Amino acid sequence: MYKEHYPLLNHNSFGIESYADYFFEFCEVSELDEFLLEQTLNTNNIFILGKGCNVLFTKDFEGLIIHPNNNGIDITYEDDKSIEIKVQSGEDWDEFVEFTVSNSWYGLENLSLIPGSVGAAPVQNIGAYGVEVRDYIVSVECVEIGTGKHFVLSNRECCFDYRNSVFKNELKNKCVIVAVSFKLSKIPVININYTELKNKLQKDKNIDVRKIRNAICEIRNSKLPDPEKIGNVGSFFKNPIISDNDYQVLLKNFPDIVGYKIDNKNVKLAAGWLIDKCGWKAYSENGVGVHENQALVLINKGTKSGNNVLNLAQKIRTGVLNKFGVYMEFEVNIL
Ligand code: EPU
């Protein structure tokens, strides 16, 4: 499907009103192949939009939006211990996780209920409750927009990092992810190190993949707003990474600051805590609010303007910088 001056209101989970000059949606990869061969659009401004769960439109999009809506799950390899599955990029992430859990395949259960599509998962290397998707991705199949050529990147070639990958850097808007291959375990491999998860499950002697998914869903529902009901894009900021030296200085002034050592030299700070300590929690202005249970999440309280959201986000960023001397990068794509 190809449309001009296309409304994006139903294509972003914050519920922002914006229009794209050109919009192309494909249900089969062959439609994308044909489109890339034939298209003569004179725009270099291209954005690949999944379910719009990590994007904030602050103006109309002057260019082409490509929206993968291709579905299908294929088993590509299987033995007694593990299974490899190739999943089309337009599949809903959580429906796919539910499918793996219902088959008792271990790996993705801690990533339950994350909004978005399968194709978006590798882009920002989605992560939650002690797991990152990079731990289970074997490869990612892409189509180069300029040439229509298909290519496959191995896990290493994706250059995964905290909320980052090659798709947010060298390959940004240069290729369309059409499928992602995962390797999951048929033998129980359990990760309940995240404190709240441990508290819920550690007394259970028969933990299984379904129980973990249920616990994760309970934890998420207790503190994160459901984007179907309240417009939001999950964490608005990344948790900032600072040097251990800077962290020791902050600890002297703020003894209860929350930080996690990520290696010998660096500490990841909880941005939610920083924002909370600045007093922003439950604050709202111009139809935009800071969520009352998780200050890292901004919510829609009636606005259709992405600029209202951006303005509040910038104020929060400045507030945190002034109080703690820490700069928080946006986790969300601002367009
Ligand atoms: N905290 C506060 N006040 C708040 C929010 C958090 O004091 O308003 C404190 C908490 O008490 C906790 C710490 O900050 O000690 C961390 O909070 P939490 O465990 O909720 O996780 P997070 O670091 O804020 C990250 C991810 C989430 C993911 C959770 C769980 C990022 C940017 N966010 O949040 O991912 O669900 O961990 O693993 O890394 C997302 O990316 O959209 C997202 C929701």
Side-chain angles (χ1 to χ4, degrees), residues 47-112:
F47 185 73
I48 324 299
L49 182 70
K51 289 184 182 280
C53 297
N54 201 41
V55 62
L56 182 74
F57 292 105
T58 57
K59 49 186 179 295
D60 285 343
F61 188 78
E62 293 175 354
L64 167 68
I65 285 190
I66 300 179
H67 174 55
N69 197 13
N70 49 327
N71 289 294
I73 300 178
D74 297 297
I75 294 173
T76 50
Y77 174 81
E78 188 171 5
D79 59 28
D80 291 347
K81 293 183 187 145
S82 66
I83 186 140
E84 285 188 28
I85 355 173
K86 180 171 163 179
V87 189
Q88 297 297 302
S89 55
E91 285 282 348
D92 179 80
W93 173 260
D94 192 54
E95 282 173 20
F96 166 56
V97 174
E98 169 55 34
F99 172 76
T100 66
V101 168
S102 64
N103 281 291
S104 297
W105 299 333
Y106 283 76
L108 303 178
E109 57 281 4
N110 290 39
L111 304 179
S112 286

Side-chain angles (χ1 to χ4, degrees), residues 165-182:
S165 74
V166 71
F167 307 107
K168 285 182 98 172
N169 295 287
E170 291 93 315
L171 292 182
K172 189 172 180 180
N173 297 321
K174 292 203 172 69
C175 70
V176 182
I177 293 174
V178 291
V180 184
S181 291
F182 300 87

Side-chain angles (χ1 to χ4, degrees), residues 12-16 52-53 56 225-234 236 287-289 291 297-303 309:
N12 72 96
S13 63
F14 215 106
I16 297 301
C53 297
L56 182 74
D226 177 356
E228 298 281 325
K229 298 187 185 127
I230 301 172
N232 79 89
V233 280
F236 207 93
V288 190
H291 190 52
V297 178
L298 301 186
I299 55 174
N300 194 333
K301 298 192 92 176
T303 192
V309 185

Side-chain angles (χ1 to χ4, degrees), residues 27-212:
C27 296
E28 300 287 338
V29 178
S30 57
E31 293 169 42
L32 174 69
D33 292 337
E34 253 171 61
F35 178 78
L36 293 178
L37 259 174
E38 286 168 7
Q39 62 127 350
T40 47
L41 293 172
N42 50 357
T43 180
N44 290 323
N45 196 22
I46 294 172
F47 185 73
I48 324 299
L49 182 70
K51 289 184 182 280
C53 297
N54 201 41
V55 62
L56 182 74
F57 292 105
T58 57
K59 49 186 179 295
D60 285 343
F61 188 78
E62 293 175 354
L64 167 68
I65 285 190
I66 300 179
H67 174 55
N69 197 13
N70 49 327
N71 289 294
I73 300 178
D74 297 297
I75 294 173
T76 50
Y77 174 81
E78 188 171 5
D79 59 28
D80 291 347
K81 293 183 187 145
S82 66
I83 186 140
E84 285 188 28
I85 355 173
K86 180 171 163 179
V87 189
Q88 297 297 302
S89 55
E91 285 282 348
D92 179 80
W93 173 260
D94 192 54
E95 282 173 20
F96 166 56
V97 174
E98 169 55 34
F99 172 76
T100 66
V101 168
S102 64
N103 281 291
S104 297
W105 299 333
Y106 283 76
L108 303 178
E109 57 281 4
N110 290 39
L111 304 179
S112 286
L113 229 55
I114 295 182
S117 63
V118 166
V123 177
Q124 60 153 344
N125 179 26
I126 55 171
Y129 308 105
V131 169
E132 285 186 336
V133 76
R134 70 165 152 195
D135 302 334
Y136 299 95
I137 290 179
V138 177
S139 60
V140 177
E141 184 178 334
C142 311
V143 179
E144 190 175 35
I145 292 171
T147 61
K149 249 175 52 189
H150 284 234
F151 62 97
V152 175
L153 294 184
S154 67
N155 178 299
R156 239 161 70 104
E157 287 167 324
C158 293
C159 307
F160 291 123
D161 202 347
Y162 168 60
R163 295 296 194 273
N164 207 356
S165 74
V166 71
F167 307 107
K168 285 182 98 172
N169 295 287
E170 291 93 315
L171 292 182
K172 189 172 180 180
N173 297 321
K174 292 203 172 69
C175 70
V176 182
I177 293 174
V178 291
V180 184
S181 291
F182 300 87
K183 183 174 183 179
L184 303 176
S185 176
K186 290 184 176 178
I187 297 164
V189 184
I190 284 161
N191 180 346
I192 56 162
N193 293 332
Y194 182 84
T195 314
E196 264 182 275
L197 192 58
K198 201 185 285 171
N199 293 343
K200 266 188 192 295
L201 293 173
Q202 67 184 356
K203 289 203 188 96
D204 192 326
K205 295 272 176 292
N206 301 305
I207 301 174
D208 62 17
V209 69
R210 172 61 66 193
K211 286 181 183 168
I212 299 175

Side-chain angles (χ1 to χ4, degrees), residues 14-30:
F14 215 106
I16 297 301
E17 195 163 68
S18 165
Y19 287 80
D21 282 355
Y22 317 104
F23 186 91
F24 173 70
E25 173 180 323
F26 63 92
C27 296
E28 300 287 338
V29 178
S30 57

Side-chain angles (χ1 to χ4, degrees), residues 53-54 110 114-115 124 126-131 162-163 194 196 219-220 223-224 232-240 256 258-260 268-277 281 290-297 331-332:
C53 297
N54 201 41
N110 290 39
I114 295 182
Q124 60 153 344
I126 55 171
Y129 308 105
V131 169
Y162 168 60
R163 295 296 194 273
Y194 182 84
E196 264 182 275
I219 295 172
R220 287 189 74 96
K223 53 181 177 182
L224 294 168
N232 79 89
V233 280
S235 300
F236 207 93
F237 303 92
K238 287 187 193 176
N239 283 332
D256 55 340
V258 182
Y260 318 90
K268 194 192 274 179
L269 295 178
W273 186 92
L274 299 172
I275 299 167
D276 196 353
K277 275 288 142 154
K281 204 180 226 175
V290 179
H291 190 52
E292 58 189 14
N293 297 333
Q294 168 52 291
L296 200 46
V297 178
E331 203 239 13
V332 169

